[in-house]
């Protein structure tokens, strides 16, 4: 349920004309918040080009600027203990690829604009790399080298697949499953869905049964079409006008008080810095976030 925040008359008079107009329309029920209202995402026209979602547009643009970077590769490794049927795991993986169109998607230009292209259902390999011949210490070092190599290998967004998976056999009862996707296909949340459904499909393949996965009412392409349509309304245009007004004169880059000057081109050479905060200070941050309605990350 949407939380409603009351605005006093004195607060309303302090609003800009654009914000006051939006407030009046909200109070009259003319406008609903962007992306709210329980809108149902309809199936897209299968004959029409599929646009990119807003997040995909950002990642596609970055890829045009830095096509050789692996900064937006999204790796995930899963340690598997116990008996494993490699053939069933490969079948489960391809069942997942068939189920989710986004895992069969590439990106190209159509009349000068990037679009999604869903490839026909096709299988992707699951190479099995056997490392049992190595001694324990050598095996771990060699495994780290192989994983690092695959994580660093870049993708070409116009070439399928944008998902690479590998199965490393450490011994008869220990395996490592590695998946690497480009961030334009997935994120941390969707990786959780990926592995949950992969497990369900795997158990079904091992038993020779059809897993009970609910049919997908919406594919990612349907969402992208719907999201782009949401930008073609009065509320979105008002939001754009508001932020253009608010950000007028903002600096081109954010200069933080770091110990090094910002390079002309980003190098993606990050490091870790660990700080320990006193408990009273941390609790005061939590309290401030609660009062402001923000997160610790934002603060």
């Amino acid at each position: 349920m949407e939380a409603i925040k009351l605005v006093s008359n004195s607060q309303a008079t302090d609003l800009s004309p654009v914000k006051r107009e939006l407030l009046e329309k909200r109070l009259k029920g003319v406008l609903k918040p962007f992306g709210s209202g329980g809108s149902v995402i309809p199936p897209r026209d299968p004959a029409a080009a599929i646009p990119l979602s807003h997040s995909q547009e950002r990642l596609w643009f970055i890829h045009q600027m830095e096509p050789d970077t692996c900064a937006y590769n999204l790796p995930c490794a899963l340690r598997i203990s116990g008996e494993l049927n490699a053939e069933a795991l490969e079948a489960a993986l391809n069942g997942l690829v068939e189920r989710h169109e986004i895992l069969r998607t590439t990106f190209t230009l159509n009349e000068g604009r990037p679009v999604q292209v869903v490839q026909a259902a096709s299988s992707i390999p699951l190479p099995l790399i056997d490392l049992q011949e190595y001694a324990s210490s050598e095996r771990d070092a060699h495994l780290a080298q192989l994983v690092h190599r695959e994580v660093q290998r870049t993708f070409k967004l116009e070439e399928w697949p944008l998902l690479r998976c590998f199965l490393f056999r450490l011994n008869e009862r220990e395996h490592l499953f590695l998946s690497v996707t480009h961030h334009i296909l997935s994120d941390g949340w969707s990786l959780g869905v990926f592995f949950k459904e992969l497990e369900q499909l795997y158990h079904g393949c091992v038993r020779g049964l059809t897993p009970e996965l609910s049919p997908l009412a919406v594919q990612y392409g349907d969402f992208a079409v719907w999201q782009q349509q949401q930008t073609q309304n009065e509320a979105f245009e008002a939001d754009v006008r508001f932020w253009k007004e608010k950000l007028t004169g903002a600096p081109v880059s954010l200069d933080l008080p770091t110990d090094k000057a910002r390079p002309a081109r980003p190098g993606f050479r990050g490091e870790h810095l660990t700080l320990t905060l006193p408990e009273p200070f941390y609790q005061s941050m939590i309290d401030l976030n609660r009062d402001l309605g923000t997160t610790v990350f934002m603060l």
Side-chain angles (χ1 to χ4, degrees):
M1 181 177 294
E2 179 194 356
I4 299 176
K5 184 176 181 180
L6 299 179
V7 180
S8 66
N9 290 334
S10 60
Q11 289 175 304
T13 56
D14 294 335
L15 298 176
S16 67
V18 172
K19 295 177 71 174
R20 190 180 304 115
E21 178 185 357
L22 286 175
L23 174 61
E24 292 174 354
K25 290 183 177 181
R26 285 290 305 280
L27 294 176
K28 294 177 182 178
V30 177
L31 293 179
K32 294 182 178 180
F34 173 62
S36 68
S39 301
V40 176
I41 300 176
R44 67 182 187 274
D45 179 358
I50 309 173
L52 275 59
S53 68
H54 299 327
S55 58
Q56 285 179 326
E57 286 178 330
R58 293 191 293 272
L59 290 163
W60 183 88
F61 176 79
I62 293 172
H63 186 79
Q64 307 314 301
M65 299 289 290
E66 299 283 349
D68 297 325
T69 181
C70 63
Y72 293 93
N73 284 9
L74 198 62
C76 191
L78 179 68
R79 192 72 174 252
I80 303 173
S81 299
E83 293 185 10
L84 178 68
N85 185 324
E87 292 77 13
L89 183 59
E90 183 173 11
L93 173 63
N94 281 288
L96 203 60
V97 171
E98 181 179 0
R99 173 175 167 82
H100 293 274
E101 289 182 350
I102 189 62
L103 298 179
R104 293 184 276 114
T105 297
T106 57
F107 302 84
T108 189
L109 288 176
N110 180 20
E111 298 181 354
R113 295 188 63 84
V115 295
Q116 302 185 58
V117 179
V118 178
Q119 307 296 322
S122 181
S123 60
I124 65 172
L126 179 61
L128 176 60
I129 298 94
D130 198 331
L131 302 179
Q132 295 182 97
E133 63 183 57
Y134 293 92
S136 179
S137 58
E138 295 177 349
R139 183 194 64 201
D140 292 344
H142 189 53
L143 174 63
Q145 290 179 348
L146 293 175
V147 169
H148 183 265
R149 182 189 67 187
E150 292 305 328
V151 170
Q152 296 290 315
R153 191 151 59 97
T154 58
F155 288 100
K156 294 183 178 180
L157 298 188
E158 65 276 9
E159 295 181 4
W160 188 81
L162 296 178
L163 163 68
R164 298 192 296 262
C165 294
F166 304 88
L167 184 63
F168 299 94
R169 176 171 289 162
L170 310 181
N171 57 53
E172 286 300 323
R173 297 184 62 82
E174 293 290 333
H175 294 78
L176 183 81
F177 177 84
L178 173 68
S179 71
V180 185
T181 63
H182 193 282
H183 193 20
I184 201 169
L185 291 193
S186 62
D187 56 15
W189 184 88
S190 58
L191 279 178
V193 176
F194 179 94
F195 281 103
K196 178 182 178 181
E197 294 192 357
L198 180 65
E199 180 184 8
Q200 293 174 285
L201 289 168
Y202 171 75
H203 288 305
C205 290
V206 168
R207 295 178 175 85
L209 303 174
T210 302
E212 296 182 0
L213 293 179
S214 302
L216 294 176
V218 175
Q219 295 282 351
Y220 192 82
D222 302 326
F223 164 75
V225 171
W226 173 84
Q227 188 186 53
Q228 292 291 352
Q229 290 173 345
Q230 302 308 298
T231 65
Q232 302 169 14
N233 59 47
E234 186 179 353
F236 183 82
E237 292 298 328
D239 284 343
V240 171
R241 290 195 302 271
F242 168 78
W243 284 111
K244 282 184 175 180
E245 173 188 327
K246 204 73 173 176
L247 296 175
T248 299
V252 176
S253 62
L254 179 61
D255 293 321
L256 298 175
T258 58
D259 59 343
K260 295 182 180 180
R262 179 189 294 271
R265 294 173 64 88
F268 302 106
R269 295 185 299 274
E271 295 291 345
H272 291 86
L273 177 63
T274 302
L275 298 175
T276 300
L277 302 177
E279 177 64 27
F281 179 78
Y282 174 75
Q283 188 58 51
S284 68
M285 290 177 60
I286 299 298
D287 294 340
L288 181 58
N289 281 313
R290 183 176 60 249
D291 295 340
L292 296 177
T294 61
T295 64
V296 175
F297 176 81
M298 295 172 66
L299 183 61

